[in-house]
Amino acid sequence: MVKFLHLSALVVCASFAPASCQIPCDSEYGEYCPEMSSYAVGTCIREKAGSGLSAQCAEYLDVMNACQADIDTFCNGLEFTGEVMGCLTQWTKPADLSAACAAALPEPPAAKKPREKSEEEKKKAARRRRVRDKAAKMARDQHPQNPDRKNKGEKKKKKKKKG
C-alpha cells in the first residue's frame, strides 16, 4: 500500500504530461550525482545518499532495478527520466513486461465509474438519438450514390415519338 501511494503520483504525472514529470530522486540526483547518466545514476545515489535516501526515491530505484531489462527493450534512453514510468505503465503493454517488473510497478489508479443518469437525462438522450438517427437516414436516402435512393422531385424525361 505504501508503494502504491508513493509511486501513484508519478504514474498519474506520467499519464498526463510525461515530459514535465520529475523523478522522485531528483533532489538526490542533483545533490550527489549531477554528472551521471543512465543506470549509473541509481548506483551513485544509493552509494552516496546511504541512509539519507527518501522512501520515494528508494522505491523508484527498486523499480528501475527490477525493470532494467524492460526499460532497455521498450523505453531505451528513458532510464532515470520523468518519462520512464509513463513508458512502462502507459506505452508498454502489461503482457510484454517481465514478471519482476510488473510486480515492482505501482498498480494503476482505479478507473472511474460512469455517472448514473437521471430518468430525465435518459429520455433527453433517447430523443437526441432518435432525431440524429432520423437525420442520418434522410441524408442516406437523399445521397446521389445511394442505390436505394428515391428520386423524389426529379422528373423523368419523356421520350419524344418520332413521327
Side-chain angles (χ1 to χ4, degrees):
M1 181 67 176
V2 174
K3 176 172 74 168
F4 173 74
L5 293 176
H6 291 296
L7 291 178
S8 63
L10 188 61
V11 173
V12 170
C13 180
S15 65
F16 291 114
S20 63
C21 293
Q22 292 184 335
I23 64 172
C25 301
D26 200 44
S27 61
E28 290 91 341
Y29 176 59
E31 184 177 343
Y32 302 115
C33 312
E35 71 286 351
M36 298 290 181
S37 63
S38 190
Y39 295 106
V41 172
T43 306
C44 175
I45 290 174
R46 283 208 192 267
E47 288 175 358
K48 292 187 177 180
S51 62
L53 197 61
S54 69
Q56 294 93 341
C57 182
E59 290 169 10
Y60 181 78
L61 294 176
D62 291 343
V63 170
M64 294 298 103
N65 287 338
C67 296
Q68 185 170 348
D70 297 288
I71 293 169
D72 290 340
T73 303
F74 304 111
C75 312
N76 195 16
L78 297 180
E79 56 275 351
F80 288 93
T81 67
E83 295 178 340
V84 72
M85 291 300 284
C87 176
L88 291 171
T89 60
Q90 304 290 318
W91 308 335
T92 305
K93 295 177 184 174
D96 292 340
L97 296 173
S98 68
C101 182
L105 287 172
E107 293 189 28
K112 291 182 179 178
K113 292 182 180 180
R115 182 180 66 86
E116 287 292 322
K117 293 182 180 178
S118 69
E119 286 302 314
E120 185 176 323
E121 289 173 317
K122 289 178 184 178
K123 288 178 183 177
K124 188 175 180 180
R127 276 194 307 269
R128 282 195 312 262
R129 206 170 15 260
R130 281 193 305 273
V131 169
R132 185 177 58 238
D133 291 346
K134 184 178 177 182
K137 184 180 181 318
M138 284 176 49
R140 281 191 304 272
D141 289 346
Q142 294 177 1
H143 194 275
Q145 293 178 351
N146 183 353
D148 297 330
R149 179 179 172 210
K150 298 172 187 161
N151 294 326
K152 294 181 180 177
E154 292 182 14
K155 295 181 180 177
K156 291 184 179 181
K157 293 181 181 179
K158 293 183 181 179
K159 292 184 180 180
K160 293 182 182 179
K161 292 184 181 178
K162 292 183 181 179

